[in-house]
Amino acid sequence: MGSSHSQTYKLAEDIRKPAIGAASLSADEPSAHKRRHHHHGSDAEQDAKKIHSACKGAGTNEKKIIEVLSSRTSEQRQQIKQKYKELYSKEMEEDLKGDLSGNFEKAVLALLDLPCEFEARELRRAMKGAGTDESLLIEILCTRSNKEIVNIKEAYKRLFDRDLESDVKSDTSGSLQKILVMVLEATRDETQQVNAELAEQDASDLYKAGEGRWGTEELAFNVVLAKRSYSQLRATFQAYEKVCGKDIEESIKSETSGDLEKAYLTLVSCAKDCPGYFATLLHKSMKGAGTDEETLIRILVTRAESDLPAIKEKFQQKYKKPLAEAVRSDTSGDFRKLLLAILH
């Protein structure tokens, strides 16, 4: 009987394979870690029962919840949710919500979403109610591959029956709105080839648009930063330095400010080194007094099956200590245990 059960998970593995080639994964990052969570001989029904018994009766067995959720892929967790509903006629999230609290609850619920669904919820949270959290919009929209953006847009529609682009348009304005809408088109070139002539041309366009004369001509920046491939952009930034005598970030800082500056710097940073960008963000979320747990959850959960190994490596390089050690000293209790299990 074991064999028929484990089939449920094998299938999910196959379904997920096409996404491995997404541009957000660097070429030298093999897909092996995608499967590191794959446990043979485990199945959705067994897992659903474990979670149910962990929530049942007096006291919650957090250890069991952590064990199951952190050792499964996102696709497998979807199957566990489905089985749970079949077996107990209610949503697993609802039962867990009733039993958990605080950051541990937030992290568990984040794990129950597909990454694109969780990101869609975060974007909705950034725009709902009074005031907009522009930094959050920038962090998510300016760092994702075309495929990821398309998935986020679909998830947003599915979860909220709203159009993400319309919401972004009505919640932002001016220069920031223009770059975000362009990024949302999800039409970045994702090939690896570098066109040296185009790099020179773009570099000189950017120079003319920014440093070359007073007042930055955003359109040139928007098109180049939102549409060119990451490898093409790296060549452009090198050419730019030759033309301009300083790096593109310095020019952006002197020519722009506020949210537009943040969006441009995020796009540049991701083209140069996306895992490095997230490593820096994680470091910032734990630096100084107080921890920004929401950022911690968001990055660890959404990058767990894409570039988390590379992010860990960059973190170690930049800050001379393992990411797990930083997380351990900045968190506590079951929340800490769950994050460390994800990092494992």
Side-chain angles (χ1 to χ4, degrees):
M1 105 172 200
S3 62
S4 67
H5 276 322
S6 59
Q7 282 315 105
T8 46
Y9 279 166
K10 289 238 179 62
L11 182 68
E13 290 289 315
D14 295 336
I15 293 168
R16 238 187 24 258
K17 271 176 197 153
I20 288 173
S24 60
L25 286 180
S26 50
D28 54 1
E29 191 58 56
S31 58
H33 60 271
K34 293 285 274 198
R35 286 189 208 92
R36 74 202 166 103
H37 289 329
H38 184 70
H39 285 220
H40 292 287
S42 66
D43 66 87
E45 189 167 323
Q46 231 178 326
D47 286 343
K49 286 177 177 166
K50 275 184 195 163
I51 300 269
H52 187 252
S53 73
C55 297
K56 222 174 50 196
T60 309
N61 185 342
E62 286 88 355
K63 186 170 181 283
K64 209 182 272 184
I65 294 169
I66 292 169
E67 224 165 78
V68 172
L69 296 182
S70 69
S71 62
R72 301 290 176 263
T73 62
S74 180
E75 282 295 343
Q76 289 171 346
R77 292 191 288 263
Q78 301 311 302
Q79 293 181 12
I80 298 169
K81 274 162 55 172
Q82 224 174 318
K83 272 284 178 239
Y84 195 96
K85 196 170 183 177
E86 285 167 25
L87 292 167
Y88 308 110
S89 308
K90 47 189 188 179
E91 302 289 347
M92 190 164 99
E93 295 96 305
E94 294 311 313
D95 280 354
L96 286 167
K97 253 186 211 165
D99 275 354
L100 312 176
S101 62
N103 292 311
F104 180 56
E105 177 192 359
K106 278 184 194 161
V108 164
L109 295 177
L111 282 171
L112 295 183
D113 276 329
L114 288 168
C116 61
E117 293 170 339
F118 182 66
E119 284 155 344
R121 286 186 210 281
E122 289 286 85
L123 290 169
R124 185 80 189 107
R125 181 169 71 83
M127 294 185 282
K128 225 171 76 180
T132 303
D133 182 347
E134 288 85 2
S135 297
L136 184 47
L137 295 182
I138 291 166
E139 180 204 314
I140 295 176
L141 298 176
C142 295
T143 61
R144 300 305 193 256
S145 67
N146 292 340
K147 177 94 177 76
E148 287 170 325
I149 287 181
V150 169
N151 290 343
I152 291 169
K153 289 200 280 197
E154 285 169 2
Y156 195 88
K157 184 83 184 128
R158 193 167 65 237
L159 293 171
F160 307 112
D161 197 27
R162 301 174 69 94
D163 180 65
L164 179 57
E165 197 172 316
S166 313
D167 279 358
V168 167
K169 273 183 186 160
S170 69
D171 263 81
T172 56
S173 60
S175 313
L176 178 67
Q177 181 195 68
K178 289 194 188 94
I179 185 68
L180 291 181
V181 166
M182 203 174 269
V183 166
L184 273 168
E185 289 168 7
T187 51
R188 182 185 294 287
D189 170 25
E190 290 183 342
T191 58
Q192 296 301 313
Q193 287 87 15
V194 172
N195 176 336
E197 271 169 48
L198 180 64
E200 304 276 326
Q201 184 58 52
D202 280 347
S204 104
D205 286 351
L206 292 180
Y207 177 66
K208 285 184 199 127
E211 292 286 324
R213 62 163 189 271
W214 193 80
T216 301
E217 187 52 63
E218 285 144 35
L219 191 65
F221 269 89
N222 288 0
V223 170
V224 173
L225 293 178
K227 302 297 173 192
R228 302 287 186 257
S229 74
Y230 282 172
S231 35
Q232 183 66 32
L233 282 173
R234 290 193 286 272
T236 303
F237 301 153
Q238 282 176 327
Y240 184 89
E241 241 170 282
K242 284 199 192 105
V243 176
C244 191
K246 58 168 151 177
D247 71 29
I248 186 97
E249 281 105 332
E250 283 177 73
S251 295
I252 289 169
K253 283 175 188 163
S254 65
E255 292 294 315
T256 59
S257 62
D259 294 323
L260 181 66
E261 177 187 349
K262 197 177 274 181
Y264 282 172
L265 290 175
T266 300
L267 288 162
V268 169
S269 181
C270 258
K272 285 187 170 180
D273 173 13
C274 219
Y277 167 80
F278 286 115
T280 305
L281 225 50
L282 284 167
H283 179 67
K284 279 187 189 148
S285 76
M286 296 182 280
K287 215 177 62 187
T291 304
D292 173 1
E293 290 88 359
E294 272 163 356
T295 297
L296 211 47
I297 293 169
R298 184 170 54 253
I299 297 174
L300 296 185
V301 168
T302 60
R303 311 311 292 182
E305 286 174 53
S306 54
D307 52 1
L308 191 55
I311 293 170
K312 281 157 64 168
E313 215 170 291
K314 287 289 174 188
F315 193 93
Q316 174 73 49
Q317 276 172 22
K318 283 174 180 264
Y319 307 109
K320 306 290 173 259
K321 67 171 167 187
L323 177 54
E325 193 183 299
V327 169
R328 185 179 289 117
S329 63
D330 254 68
T331 54
S332 61
D334 293 314
F335 178 53
R336 171 201 280 164
K337 285 179 194 148
L338 178 57
L339 295 186
L340 292 176
I342 294 171
L343 279 169
H344 183 58

